[in-house]
Amino acid sequence: MVRSIYDVSRHELGWQVKKRGNLQATSVHKVKDEAVQRARALALANQPSQVVVRRLNGTIEFEWTYGNDPYPPQG
């Protein structure tokens, strides 16, 4: 099963939650903490998934993985 990845990054109106591969943001928030909470809720509801939170400069600040994510992958 493919893992859904939700990125939290800067947006012109605040902070956005965007599912990787989508062209548009899933949601936009004025406060970063609200965007992180929304991304984590989406990830929990759509496991296996991952949340990647970025700083203003685009580097990764936090990362969470949900669901069964065996390492190394089979194949």
Side-chain angles (χ1 to χ4, degrees), residues 4-7 18-22 26 50 52 54 60:
S4 299
I5 302 174
Y6 298 92
D7 288 303
K18 187 174 180 182
K19 184 175 179 182
R20 202 166 284 177
N22 289 355
T26 304
Q50 182 177 17
V52 178
R54 299 189 179 276
I60 295 174

Side-chain angles (χ1 to χ4, degrees), residues 9 11 16 18 20 27 46 50 52 55 57 61 67:
S9 59
H11 185 272
Q16 69 179 353
K18 187 174 180 182
R20 202 166 284 177
S27 61
N46 298 294
Q50 182 177 17
V52 178
R55 295 181 179 96
N57 65 6
E61 182 176 9

